[in-house]
Amino acid sequence: MRMMMKLLLLAALLGLGLAQHNPHYKHGRTSIVHLFEWRWADIAAECERYLGPNGYGGVQISPPNEHIIISNPWRPWWQRYQPIGYNLCSRSGNENELRDMITRCNNVGVNIYVDAVINHMCGSGGGEGHHSSCGSYFNAGGKDFPSVPYTSWDFNDGKCRTGSGNIENYNDIHQVRDCRLVSLLDLALEKDHVRSKTADYMNALIDMGVAGFRVDACKHMWPGDMKAVFERLHNLNTQWFAAGARPFMFQEVIDLGGEPITSSEYFFLGRVTEFKYGAKLGTAVRKWNGEKLSFLKNWGEGWGFMPDGNALVFVDNHDNQRGHGAGGAAILTFWDARMYKMAMGLMLAHPYGVTRVMSSFSWDRNFVNGKDQNDWMGPPSHPDGSTKPVPINADSTCGDGWVCEHRWRQIRNMVIFRNVVNGQPFSNWWDNQSNQIAFGRGNRGFIAINNDDWNMDVTLNTGLPAGTYCDVISGDKDGGRCTGKQVQVGGDGRAHFYISNMDEDPFMAIHADSKL
């Protein structure tokens, strides 16, 4: 009987976790885009005019709950990661605008994933004026957040054993999970009241129609406490999702190795952010430490990454593109556009993991002794601190400081490539033992990349049916013609690829839907 109970419990745990690994994409879509710091009204419009028509599967949105307002430095991006409560008014918009955006995006097949900050509230000394983005009063010094409400009883200070109250040693798992992360007031998620309030917040969003959550700072929470919260969450809204569908969870756990807390402790709860991916890919594309693209033949689990079914992968994220988080100077970003597009092409062509595309805003970089003094800068804003809308230029790029990498032709077309080859095996690998590589996805797609300092001039087996294909990196398929390069695939599946090392984009990609 006891063995039967153990098996049932294990099945329940596995069921919870496996259900929460599924992003619930609609219509054969396969990628998330993080529209970092966008307003809800702009995301709604972008779903309808661009993301839906171009096959994006979902949007990761910035934290929608009320947050601290900081004027020194002026309205930094990280004020969104200092919650004051769970009312739904942030600098991206109010609750009605949030609800409208979720509805409009779902109606065009684009899911919404919320960045959920449930580990902590604001910093212990935080807040000018002691009012949140919703106008709620709070007193961080007194640990008083009446809009929730949380009081001093709801924080972990009594459990923390460091002199400062902050994490001082990442090799002590109790410090990492019970002390303050950079002075942020650490919630006691073991307490029923905190679990209830956290679950209520997430359930309000699930009921509105979100498909899941990117959960912030998971390394700093005990997995058992997170499980207790996740078990209280509702099933997804059946207006847009299948009956019984569980929210998709992807958990931020920075694990580059060398610490006692590992990403694998969180696999049973959902997918986990694979930070090794962008760090290693950046090193390979930059050709640092003797790395070469030819070494990527066993990319993915063969590089010591987490199992494919647990991984959420990305070239860069909002933290490490600023030098925070993980990966250091190896991380490729929009500032390194030529290498960045190659890395994005490789990620989106390769079958490993659930992929997330970054969509950024630019800022005035100011390096002193190798450190960017302006990495705190918030999104393009009006003088009163309110976020500017995202203007779309005639050539479909964005203006006013919004970078919109997800609109770059090369990245958009590789998102479509991933949709077309979904479910096809990794195949037909070729390399020149240096930095020229190529591989296919069954009989549906093929990519060739030249990251060497000389031209690529080869005939390769693509695995594709005979015909004329448009290269979707240099252009598009436009009716019966290609606006960029063409690739002729012969009856034997072979095609000739010439890629100059001087090309703006030294890679090419073809797929079943780019065939004339």
Side-chain angles (χ1 to χ4, degrees):
M1 184 68 182
R2 187 174 293 175
M3 179 56 74
M4 178 63 76
M5 292 298 289
K6 281 184 175 176
L7 288 171
L8 287 170
L9 178 64
L10 181 64
L13 281 174
L14 286 172
L16 171 76
L18 292 174
Q20 292 172 179
H21 287 69
N22 179 0
H24 306 294
Y25 292 133
K26 305 179 184 84
H27 322 304
R29 298 162 187 254
T30 56
S31 291
I32 296 167
V33 56
H34 183 191
L35 297 181
F36 181 49
E37 284 279 10
W38 281 43
R39 304 179 321 145
W40 308 146
D42 291 316
I43 296 175
E46 189 72 347
C47 283
E48 293 167 343
R49 72 193 168 203
Y50 199 85
L51 301 179
N54 286 294
Y56 280 90
V59 178
Q60 178 183 322
I61 64 171
S62 292
N65 55 296
E66 58 184 319
H67 53 80
I68 201 167
I69 296 174
I70 294 171
S71 52
N72 185 23
W74 179 252
R75 305 286 194 265
W77 64 267
W78 43 261
Q79 70 179 24
R80 299 289 290 271
Y81 291 85
Q82 298 207 27
I84 299 306
Y86 302 129
N87 294 317
L88 296 171
C89 32
S90 65
R91 71 166 158 212
S92 289
N94 62 35
E95 182 172 343
N96 287 337
E97 291 166 319
L98 175 67
R99 191 182 296 273
D100 178 64
M101 176 263 288
I102 294 168
T103 298
R104 288 166 61 187
C105 290
N106 276 328
N107 286 346
V108 293
V110 181
N111 295 343
I112 298 296
Y113 307 101
V114 170
D115 197 344
V117 185
I118 60 173
N119 170 67
H120 56 262
M121 300 301 276
C122 70
S124 54
E128 291 97 3
H130 302 295
H131 284 86
S132 77
S133 54
C134 286
S136 303
Y137 166 81
F138 68 98
N139 179 351
K143 303 184 196 119
D144 184 25
F145 297 90
S147 76
V148 182
Y150 287 144
T151 68
S152 58
W153 291 101
D154 299 311
F155 295 90
N156 269 332
D157 289 351
K159 291 177 73 181
C160 178
R161 295 287 180 258
T162 66
S164 64
N166 291 327
I167 301 164
E168 295 173 3
N169 175 10
Y170 271 80
N171 285 310
D172 180 336
I173 64 170
H174 295 276
Q175 282 189 34
V176 175
R177 288 171 170 158
D178 292 336
C179 297
R180 297 175 183 176
L181 170 65
V182 292
S183 90
L184 298 164
L185 293 170
D186 199 60
L187 283 165
L189 211 59
E190 74 201 31
K191 296 193 173 180
D192 191 70
H193 174 69
V194 178
R195 291 175 176 178
S196 293
K197 290 299 181 183
T198 304
D200 289 349
Y201 163 59
M202 298 171 82
N203 279 330
L205 293 160
I206 291 168
D207 295 348
M208 283 185 194
V210 308
F213 299 88
R214 178 260 187 195
V215 187
D216 183 65
C218 292
K219 186 195 290 190
H220 303 284
M221 295 181 277
W222 294 94
D225 291 339
M226 293 175 60
K227 174 177 174 285
V229 172
F230 292 0
E231 285 176 338
R232 299 179 185 213
L233 299 183
H234 297 167
N235 292 336
L236 298 185
N237 188 319
T238 53
Q239 185 175 346
W240 296 291
F241 302 99
R246 297 297 295 160
F248 176 49
M249 294 295 177
F250 55 107
Q251 305 160 89
E252 185 208 19
V253 180
I254 299 175
D255 176 10
L256 296 178
E259 290 180 22
I261 295 176
T262 64
S263 52
S264 61
E265 295 174 53
Y266 296 84
F267 291 167
F268 77 102
L269 294 169
R271 287 188 182 257
V272 178
T273 49
E274 179 50 278
F275 276 90
K276 297 188 189 92
Y277 192 99
K280 299 285 190 187
L281 186 56
T283 302
V285 173
R286 292 183 188 277
K287 299 185 268 196
W288 286 357
N289 307 334
E291 294 283 5
K292 299 175 181 177
L293 292 191
S294 59
F295 297 169
L296 303 181
K297 184 174 183 176
N298 63 339
W299 185 238
E301 292 173 28
W303 276 58
F305 299 164
M306 65 184 68
D308 169 47
N310 292 319
L312 183 123
V313 299
F314 45 96
V315 173
D316 63 328
N317 79 345
H318 69 279
D319 273 318
N320 64 16
Q321 70 173 196
R322 291 166 169 75
H324 302 282
I331 297 299
L332 291 166
T333 72
F334 67 89
W335 300 108
D336 321 291
R338 188 172 188 263
M339 290 188 289
Y340 186 70
K341 286 180 279 185
M342 265 193 287
M344 290 294 293
L346 195 149
M347 176 183 81
L348 290 164
H350 197 280
Y352 177 79
V354 164
T355 48
R356 180 179 62 194
V357 173
M358 184 67 200
S359 190
S360 317
F361 58 82
S362 64
W363 65 95
D364 300 323
R365 295 201 290 181
N366 175 28
F367 286 97
V368 177
N369 298 323
K371 165 100 171 72
D372 183 0
Q373 304 301 300
N374 287 340
D375 61 12
W376 57 268
M377 291 182 80
S381 298
H382 297 294
D384 66 356
S386 60
T387 302
K388 287 184 175 179
V390 181
I392 308 300
N393 300 323
D395 64 358
S396 118
T397 60
C398 299
D400 232 353
W402 298 98
V403 179
C404 297
E405 299 96 313
H406 71 283
R407 280 178 165 262
W408 295 1
R409 179 189 67 244
Q410 302 85 345
I411 293 174
R412 173 201 70 209
N413 282 349
M414 286 307 301
V415 166
I416 294 168
F417 178 106
R418 190 175 190 81
N419 293 344
V420 172
V421 304
N422 188 32
Q424 291 287 315
F426 179 75
S427 57
N428 295 308
W429 173 270
W430 171 89
D431 67 71
N432 70 340
Q433 299 185 311
S434 183
N435 288 291
Q436 297 178 6
I437 63 168
F439 62 89
R441 295 291 303 278
N443 63 359
R444 298 280 291 169
F446 193 79
I447 187 170
I449 302 174
N450 178 16
N451 198 31
D452 271 327
D453 297 328
W454 57 89
N455 297 337
M456 180 176 183
D457 192 355
V458 287
T459 298
L460 301 172
N461 178 25
T462 67
L464 270 61
T468 302
Y469 292 78
C470 298
D471 165 39
V472 297
I473 304 306
S474 58
D476 296 298
K477 176 181 163 187
D478 181 17
R481 68 185 189 101
C482 303
T483 65
K485 299 175 186 173
Q486 289 186 0
V487 176
Q488 294 289 338
V489 176
D492 58 358
R494 293 170 70 79
H496 180 247
F497 292 88
Y498 178 84
I499 304 174
S500 167
N501 66 302
M502 304 301 288
D503 283 350
E504 178 193 352
D505 297 311
F507 65 112
M508 298 172 71
I510 56 176
H511 58 74
D513 289 358
S514 78
K515 184 180 177 185
L516 293 182

